[in-house]
Amino acid sequence: MFRDGVVHRALELGARGLTIGRGLQNDLVLEDSDRTVSRFHAEVRQEAGGWVLLDLNSQNGTWVESRRVERVEMRAGVPVAIGRYSLVFDDTPLGA
């Protein structure tokens, strides 16, 4: 994950996926004083052997290639924008 063009954090997806948002209850908490990230913004989960990101009706949306999306299949190297953050899926295991 990148924030303002700088690597902010890397994490490995578990079998159950994860929730993303500004709220502390999320698996991936995105700090955002400007509130461009909703408290419960998105969810990443496995579907049909791959990973998808679902926008959870966020106010400011989830963006891929300058287009607002409600659902996107996660593809290696394709950034998904949430507020000032850019999530980039990499299918290489951490530490490899």
Side-chain angles (χ1 to χ4, degrees), residues 3-4 9-10 22 43 48 61 69 81 83 94:
R3 180 177 177 176
D4 298 326
R9 183 173 175 192
R22 170 176 105 246
E43 175 184 8
V69 296
L94 283 176

Side-chain angles (χ1 to χ4, degrees), residues 30-73:
L30 303 181
E31 295 177 13
D32 180 34
S33 59
D34 297 330
R35 295 183 181 232
T36 58
V37 176
S38 295
R39 281 191 313 241
F40 299 98
H41 198 103
E43 175 184 8
V44 176
R45 66 179 175 206
Q46 275 190 304
E47 279 187 11
W51 292 95
V52 295
L53 184 140
L54 303 167
D55 185 278
L56 300 176
N57 297 316
S58 67
Q59 184 172 350
N60 292 308
T62 300
W63 300 81
V64 176
E65 299 174 347
S66 301
R67 162 178 80 85
R68 190 170 181 159
V69 296
E70 293 180 14
R71 179 184 187 283
V72 62
E73 188 176 323

